[in-house]
Amino acid sequence: VQLVESGGDLVQAGGSLRLSCATSGFPFEAYTIGWFRQAPGKEREGIACVGNSDGDKYYADSVKGRFTIASDIAKSTTYLQMSGLQPEDTAVYYCAAGRETATLAFFDSYGVDHWGQGTRVTVSS
């Protein structure tokens, strides 16, 4: 099983980035894929997830309206389009896969089966 994130970068406030999570080794179309982030000195935060089997999506309030999650089933890849980035979005972003539905429950300790290694996003003011 592999989840490989890419797309992290340094960007100015107000800018945009697209993160990618390329996966292999499990039935991508049957899983929920989510994005978490962890800022320095803060707890990990679940921010968005998508159920690949039903298309359901869930967003945390902190990113709702600014971030969009989407999966390309054919490529076994999930994307996180981020716009209106602010310094408080600075964090290491991780993608994760699990069998839980695309709801808040996915972000619980038991919702995730597999993790990526993370990609760093830095937003300068």
Side-chain angles (χ1 to χ4, degrees):
V1 174
Q2 282 195 314
L3 291 85
V4 180
E5 302 96 333
S6 61
D9 205 345
L10 170 64
V11 63
Q12 289 189 335
S16 299
L17 279 177
R18 188 179 78 159
L19 305 183
S20 299
C21 174
T23 76
S24 62
F26 65 94
F28 180 79
E29 66 279 2
Y31 272 65
T32 293
I33 308 296
W35 287 92
F36 293 74
R37 66 185 181 184
Q38 188 162 20
K42 294 188 176 181
E43 292 188 357
R44 186 177 62 202
E45 175 190 18
I47 57 173
C49 59
V50 55
N52 288 338
S53 62
D54 58 13
D56 285 350
K57 299 179 181 180
Y58 178 89
Y59 296 95
D61 287 344
S62 58
V63 305
K64 195 174 296 182
R66 298 189 300 127
F67 292 10
T68 301
I69 190 170
S71 287
D72 184 332
I73 301 298
K75 295 182 178 180
S76 297
T77 299
T78 297
Y79 303 96
L80 185 69
Q81 179 68 47
M82 307 185 295
S83 60
L85 286 164
Q86 298 300 318
E88 53 265 35
D89 295 314
T90 294
V92 178
Y93 284 69
Y94 300 90
C95 71
R99 299 303 298 264
E100 186 56 75
T101 55
T103 63
L104 182 60
F106 178 81
F107 301 124
D108 290 342
S109 299
Y110 303 105
V112 172
D113 298 327
H114 311 296
W115 290 92
Q117 83 290 348
T119 187
R120 186 174 301 275
V121 173
T122 303
V123 185
S124 63
S125 58

